[in-house]
Amino acid sequence: VRTKNHDKAKRTAVTGTSTLNCQFVTKTTMMNFFGRKKAPEAASTTSSGATTRTTDPSATIVKLRENINMQDKREEHLLRKMDAMTKEAKEKMARKDKKGAMFALKRKKLYESEMDKIQNIKMTLETQVMNLESASQNAETFQAMNAGKNAMEKIRHDVGIEKVDDMMDDIREEMDMANEMSNALAQPVDPLLTDEDDLLAELQELEAEDVEADLLKEPAKNEEVALPDVPDSQLPVLQKDEEDELKKLEAELSGL
C-alpha cells in the first residue's frame, strides 16, 4: 500500500511539474508572440531617422568635403614618406647597400600606387560634391519656381477676371461721375443772368436812338466844312492803253 501511495504521489508530482512547465512555456511563448515586436519598430525608426540625416544634401556635401580634406592630408603624408624613401635609397646607395636601396625604392613604389588610388578617390569625391551641389541647387530652383507658381495661382483665384472686369466698370462709372461733377461745378452762378436775345434787341434799340438823334441834330452856324486842297501841279497824263480802254467803254455806253 505504501508503495502504491508513493508511486501515486510521484506521478502526481511529475504531472504537476509538467503542468507548471507547460504553463511557463506557454506563457513565455505568448510573451514572445505578443510583446517582442516593438524592438524592430524602434530599430526601423532609428534607421529611418539615420537615413533621413544621411540623405540631407547639405550634410552629405559637408561629409564629402571632410573626406576630401582627409585624403589631402593622407596624400601629404605619403609625399613625405616618398621623399624619405628617396633620401634613404640615396644614402644606402652611397654606402654600397644595394639591397637596402632596392627595398627603399619598392616602398616608394607602394606609396606611389597608393597616391594614384588617393587621386582617383579624390576625383570621385569631387565629382559627387559637384553633382550633389548641382542637384541641390536644381531642387531649390524647382521649389522657388513652384512657390512662384502657387503664388500666382493664389492671386488669380483671389482676384479673378470677373472681379477685374467689375473693377474696371466701377472705375469708368466713377470717372463719368467725376466729370459730371466737374461740369456742374464749372457752370457760372449769375443772379442777373437773362436771355441773350433780349439783350441784343435792347442794344439795337439804343443804336437806333443814337442814329436818330444825330440826324435831327442842327449843324452849327460858324462851323466850317473841311474841303480838300486844290492840287498845284498838273494832273498825270493817262497812258495810251488806259485811254483806249476808256474810249471803248464810252463807245459801249453810247451804244446802250
Side-chain angles (χ1 to χ4, degrees):
V1 173
R2 288 180 179 177
T3 303
K4 289 181 179 180
N5 291 332
H6 181 72
D7 293 337
K8 186 176 180 181
K10 189 176 180 180
R11 287 196 299 271
T12 303
V14 170
T15 303
T17 304
S18 300
T19 303
L20 291 174
N21 290 332
C22 290
Q23 290 178 356
F24 178 78
V25 170
T26 304
K27 187 175 182 181
T28 304
T29 304
M30 292 178 67
M31 288 176 66
N32 291 333
F33 183 75
F34 291 104
R36 293 188 179 180
K37 288 187 178 180
K38 293 183 179 180
E41 292 179 359
S44 62
T45 305
T46 306
S47 61
S48 63
T51 304
T52 304
R53 288 193 297 271
T54 55
T55 54
D56 185 11
S58 301
T60 305
I61 290 171
V62 171
K63 189 173 181 181
L64 288 172
R65 291 194 180 279
E66 290 177 354
N67 203 332
I68 291 171
N69 293 330
M70 184 181 68
Q71 296 297 331
D72 290 335
K73 292 179 181 179
R74 187 181 176 192
E75 187 177 5
E76 292 176 358
H77 176 69
L78 289 176
L79 284 172
R80 289 193 295 269
K81 288 286 187 182
M82 290 170 62
D83 294 337
M85 289 299 103
T86 302
K87 184 178 180 181
E88 183 178 350
K90 290 179 179 179
E91 290 175 355
K92 289 184 178 181
M93 283 296 294
R95 293 196 300 267
K96 306 299 182 181
D97 187 1
K98 188 176 181 181
K99 291 184 179 180
M102 291 290 292
F103 182 74
L105 291 177
K106 286 181 181 180
R107 292 180 64 185
K108 180 183 178 183
K109 292 293 182 182
L110 289 175
Y111 294 147
E112 287 179 353
S113 64
E114 192 68 19
M115 285 282 294
D116 293 335
K117 293 178 183 178
I118 291 173
Q119 291 291 334
N120 294 330
I121 291 172
K122 286 174 63 178
M123 181 61 66
T124 303
L125 291 173
E126 290 286 351
T127 304
Q128 285 184 329
V129 169
M130 292 178 64
N131 291 332
L132 275 174
E133 288 177 347
S134 178
S136 178
Q137 186 175 5
N138 292 334
E140 291 178 358
T141 303
F142 171 77
Q143 292 177 359
M145 294 175 69
N146 191 25
K149 185 265 296 180
N150 293 332
M152 292 177 66
E153 185 177 1
K154 184 178 182 301
I155 292 172
R156 179 172 58 81
H157 284 301
D158 292 341
V159 177
I161 187 64
E162 294 180 356
K163 293 181 179 179
V164 173
D165 291 336
D166 294 338
M167 183 189 68
M168 294 303 296
D169 292 337
D170 293 338
I171 290 173
R172 294 189 189 96
E173 185 177 355
E174 292 296 330
M175 290 178 67
D176 293 337
M177 292 293 294
N179 290 329
E180 290 180 1
M181 291 175 64
S182 298
N183 294 330
L185 292 173
Q187 291 180 1
V189 178
D190 190 359
L192 302 177
L193 184 62
T194 56
D195 192 3
E196 292 184 357
D197 295 335
D198 295 338
L199 294 175
L200 291 174
E202 187 175 353
L203 286 174
Q204 290 177 359
E205 290 178 358
L206 293 174
E207 289 178 355
E209 290 178 357
D210 292 336
V211 171
E212 185 178 358
D214 291 336
L215 292 175
L216 296 175
K217 185 178 180 181
E218 294 180 358
K221 293 181 180 181
N222 297 325
E223 184 177 358
E224 296 181 357
V225 179
L227 297 176
D229 296 334
V230 178
D232 297 335
S233 61
Q234 188 178 359
L235 294 176
V237 180
L238 297 175
Q239 298 293 330
K240 186 176 181 182
D241 295 336
E242 294 179 355
E243 292 177 357
D244 294 338
E245 289 180 0
L246 288 175
K247 289 179 180 180
K248 289 180 182 180
L249 290 174
E250 289 177 357
E252 289 178 0
L253 293 173
S254 62
L256 293 174

